[in-house]
Amino acid sequence: MPKVTIDGVEIEVPAGITVLQACELAGVEIPRFCYHERLSIAGNCRMCLVEVKPGPPKPQASCALPVADKQEIFTQTPTVKKARNGVMEFLLINHPLDCPICDQGGECDLQDQAMGYGFDRSRFHENKRSVPDKELGPLVKTSMNRCIHCTRCIRFATEVAGVEELGATGRGESMEVTTYVEHALSTELSGNLVDLCPVGALTSKPYAFEARSWELSKTESVDVMDGLGSNIRIDTRGAQVMRVLPRLNDDVNEEWISDKTRHALDGLRHQRLDRPYVRRGGKLVEATWDQAFAAIEAKLKGLDGTKVAAIAGDQCDAESMLALKDLMTALGSPNIDCRQDGAKLDGPRGSYIFNPGVRGIDSADAILLIGTNPRWESPVLNARLRKRYLSGHCAIASVGPAVDHTYPVERLGAGPATLRDLADGKLGFFEKLKAAKHPLIVVGMGALVREDGAAVLALARDLAEKLNAVRADWNGFAVLHTTAARVAGLDLGLVPGEGGRDVEGILAGCEKREIELVYLLAADEIDTKRLGKAFVVYQGHHGDAGAHRADVVLPGAAYTEKPGTYVNTEGRVQLGQRAGYPPGDAREDWAILRALSERLGKTLPYDSLDQVRARLVAVNKSFAALDQQAAGTWGIFGKTGALTDAPFASPIANFYMTCPISRASKTMAECMASRAHLMAAE
């Protein structure tokens, strides 16, 4: 490892890093605009100038200069300071003086660094240049007069998002960052451009002029819009969620989040359930909690447990699902399921989690996608797959829908027949997987929600074992979930008990009047028409499909309004925190179930959140390991059987509207309208 001297202090640094990175390791701050840790080096802002010996007698850009042994680096010499002041003066020649009306105010790198390196007046008297604003869609607002040509946005769109739609035209003063042909950005990660922009050229269009950063209360939490469990920060003003930003977690989402995670938050303000309702005379009318509980109690009185069923939704926290399961057990009902979509998952933990972990993607050297479109099912995880492709020496193939993954994928076929041929070694890609040290098999919900899903799962397991992809030092079998609640539900055993019914069996039982009461815990993705004459209790936070069909509505809390435990697709247990309180009479979901159990004479054995979480650990020890991926046990799972010829299809047909929150979001509706032609093509 080379030894370098930085401002008179000698340190040892890893070989191959840049001078800027070496300075950061030494605790020396280097100003920069164009450099970003996760993007390629551009070296065009020149703010990171330092003096280096041996070397030419002039300041050099530290972001693009590799370290060398016995190198001397000077970051605070008069020459360096004068050079940085000059760079800042040039950057501000054309920058408009609109800080008071700029949404980036208080969070602007240019503003901050101008305080350290700027001057109180300008020596230039030419008119400032004027650049037309660009239309990038409903999420990103442009003010291109402020652009300093750092090119971070261009590099992010090209390298991370995989959508080569941003670039620069012209040279010198005529240079403009643009989309060439004006249209909305066709990426599910466009909101990250706002975080990357070091000035106010790109800001959030839905958030424009809503609040200043210093007015907001900040809460660290977890996203529930897909199965990845991205780490987020929820900014609130009073009771209102103003914005959602990413938090750094290299093991999960790095520092990116999807547009749905970031901008569906306005759905939290619309179509909310804020009081109980009871159906009388064919109409839902407002009621008190006591009246709602009384209606449920009257229906359950004398009702056999086998005629009662419960379905847990896709965004439920582990605490509420545990309370639901305990209540159903107390009522003697084995009819419970957390798999709204009918996914054929019910085996050891290793059969339903992303075993190698999200970070394990970086080690994979051959990847097979089965029945999944990760670009829509988990855009941030898809960016990780693209990152692995860009690093080289990784073959990627797909058995499933023909879509643009944002990276080259060899499409082997569309359905189970192709997967069978691959497992039998009849396709050439089998040899690539066999030769790989770390093969990765990603099984999506599109392969598991079918009638033959259990057979497909068994076939995928067989393939993984033939490839020796499951061993002591590596488990390359990965299930990609599309929902935030699924893994926690499976960990807690929210699957039919002995003689119990799954979701399909519950709906069929309702049609035949064999099920008389159904408890929907925020479950809106089922076919409510099949509930027939059953008495439906809906507990949730939005007036979506389940609430419209319900006979009793119990208002719950959304994910921003309660502390909750969530388990992501890789089996990592994470805590979401309360950023605000639910509206009106709405309450936390586990507390509603606890109160109802007392009314029914089946009191659940916990009175506080701490007691509920202690019960979680008692049921499954994996809940004790916070922010860690508990290893999944391997075994026999799936069910050998006949395979149909129907091609695999992603369960997500509309990325922007997949849950009650996103369906209530005006911003998501605008996104869908702006990309309707692209979604139709995909």
Side-chain angles (χ1 to χ4, degrees), residues 14-301:
I17 67 172
T18 63
V19 169
L20 187 150
Q21 292 169 323
C23 291
E24 286 189 334
L25 290 175
V28 177
E29 183 178 351
I30 302 294
R32 84 292 296 268
F33 291 114
C34 67
Y35 175 79
H36 191 276
E37 295 83 354
R38 303 190 192 279
L39 303 176
S40 62
I41 294 171
N44 54 12
C45 78
R46 320 309 288 181
M47 196 66 205
C48 62
L49 295 172
V50 297
E51 280 193 282
V52 178
K53 292 183 180 178
K58 64 177 183 179
Q60 299 186 63
S62 60
C63 69
L65 184 66
V67 295
D69 195 31
K70 298 180 181 180
Q71 199 173 45
E72 290 186 81
I73 303 165
F74 305 93
T75 68
Q76 299 296 328
T77 64
T79 300
V80 169
K81 291 182 178 179
K82 184 176 181 181
R84 291 177 182 172
N85 291 344
V87 170
M88 178 59 69
E89 190 173 4
F90 276 118
L91 287 174
L92 295 177
I93 291 174
N94 285 307
H95 199 76
L97 301 176
D98 57 359
C99 294
I101 62 162
C102 178
D103 265 353
Q104 203 85 338
E107 301 173 306
C108 176
D109 292 347
L110 184 65
Q111 199 174 56
D112 295 340
Q113 293 185 37
M115 291 294 293
Y117 304 99
F119 192 48
D120 63 353
R121 67 189 66 89
S122 175
R123 291 179 290 176
F124 296 91
H125 301 287
E126 292 82 6
N127 291 331
K128 293 181 182 289
R129 73 177 192 147
S130 178
V131 182
D133 292 341
K134 308 301 187 295
E135 177 55 48
L136 300 183
L139 301 182
V140 181
K141 181 175 181 287
T142 62
S143 182
M144 302 312 291
N145 286 332
R146 303 169 185 161
C147 181
I148 62 171
H149 301 160
C150 71
T151 69
R152 280 187 182 182
C153 56
I154 297 172
R155 284 175 284 147
F156 174 84
T158 302
E159 298 165 12
V160 179
V163 178
E164 300 182 12
E165 295 176 342
L166 281 175
T169 60
R171 300 181 66 184
E173 192 177 56
S174 301
M175 178 178 169
E176 293 184 23
V177 174
T178 178
T179 55
Y180 305 120
V181 177
E182 188 171 290
H183 63 80
L185 294 174
S186 60
T187 172
E188 296 76 23
L189 300 169
S190 63
N192 295 289
L193 296 172
V194 175
D195 295 337
L196 287 170
C197 185
V199 296
L202 303 178
T203 56
S204 172
K205 189 174 287 187
Y207 177 70
F209 310 118
E210 292 290 331
R212 289 293 195 182
S213 60
W214 54 83
E215 301 176 327
L216 305 175
S217 299
K218 301 167 178 62
T219 306
E220 295 185 348
S221 193
V222 179
D223 173 49
V224 299
M225 292 296 164
D226 57 30
L228 183 61
S230 297
N231 287 209
I232 58 174
R233 192 186 85 193
I234 304 170
D235 288 357
T236 56
R237 185 173 60 190
Q240 186 172 338
V241 177
M242 302 302 296
R243 64 179 180 178
V244 171
L245 297 176
R247 281 193 295 131
L248 178 65
N249 189 329
D250 282 332
D251 291 332
V252 182
N253 60 304
E254 297 185 304
E255 57 188 88
W256 320 123
I257 55 175
S258 73
D259 290 343
K260 186 165 52 179
T261 298
R262 187 186 298 266
H263 290 297
L265 59 90
D266 63 319
L268 294 168
R269 300 194 288 268
H270 305 297
Q271 298 182 14
R272 291 303 303 272
L273 299 174
D274 59 357
R275 66 201 68 190
Y277 289 86
V278 175
R279 190 173 296 276
R280 293 176 183 151
K283 293 184 179 180
L284 287 172
V285 296
E286 294 181 18
T288 64
W289 279 103
D290 187 65
Q291 290 170 334
F293 285 171
I296 300 171
E297 181 185 21
K299 182 62 180 179
L300 281 170
K301 192 171 183 178

Side-chain angles (χ1 to χ4, degrees), residues 306-309 335 501 505-506 509-510 513-518 534:
T306 58
K307 296 186 177 182
V308 179
N335 308 315
R501 298 171 181 261
I506 291 170
C510 291
R513 301 196 178 185
E514 296 170 353
I515 297 292
E516 295 187 26
L517 186 145
V518 180

Side-chain angles (χ1 to χ4, degrees), residues 336-487:
I336 187 169
D337 205 346
C338 65
R339 304 162 300 180
Q340 274 193 103
D341 53 13
K344 306 302 187 292
L345 289 167
D346 183 14
R349 199 168 198 257
S351 70
Y352 60 79
I353 65 171
F354 204 97
N355 288 285
V358 176
R359 200 157 194 166
I361 294 172
D362 299 340
S363 302
D365 45 4
I367 300 174
L368 175 66
L369 307 176
I370 303 174
T372 179
N373 175 12
R375 180 175 177 181
W376 281 8
E377 295 169 22
S378 184
V380 177
L381 185 140
N382 191 63
R384 196 102 179 201
L385 289 168
R386 174 172 170 77
K387 176 183 174 183
R388 179 64 190 92
Y389 153 72
L390 290 175
S391 65
H393 308 296
C394 182
I396 306 177
S398 168
V399 179
V403 295
D404 178 9
H405 292 86
T406 70
Y407 44 86
V409 172
E410 180 184 349
R411 187 165 183 259
L412 305 178
T418 303
L419 185 59
R420 169 67 72 187
D421 290 343
L422 183 63
D424 291 341
K426 297 178 181 178
L427 300 180
F429 196 76
F430 180 86
E431 296 304 322
K432 293 182 181 180
L433 289 168
K434 188 73 174 175
K437 292 182 179 179
H438 300 105
L440 175 59
I441 299 172
V442 181
V443 184
M445 290 300 106
L448 303 178
V449 300
R450 304 150 48 98
E451 290 184 5
D452 61 351
V456 174
L457 184 63
L459 188 57
R461 173 183 57 80
D462 181 54
L463 175 61
E465 292 175 347
K466 284 183 178 179
L467 296 171
N468 194 28
V470 181
R471 52 185 192 266
D473 63 329
W474 173 257
N475 187 335
F477 185 84
V479 175
L480 178 57
H481 290 277
T482 58
T483 63
R486 186 63 52 79
V487 175

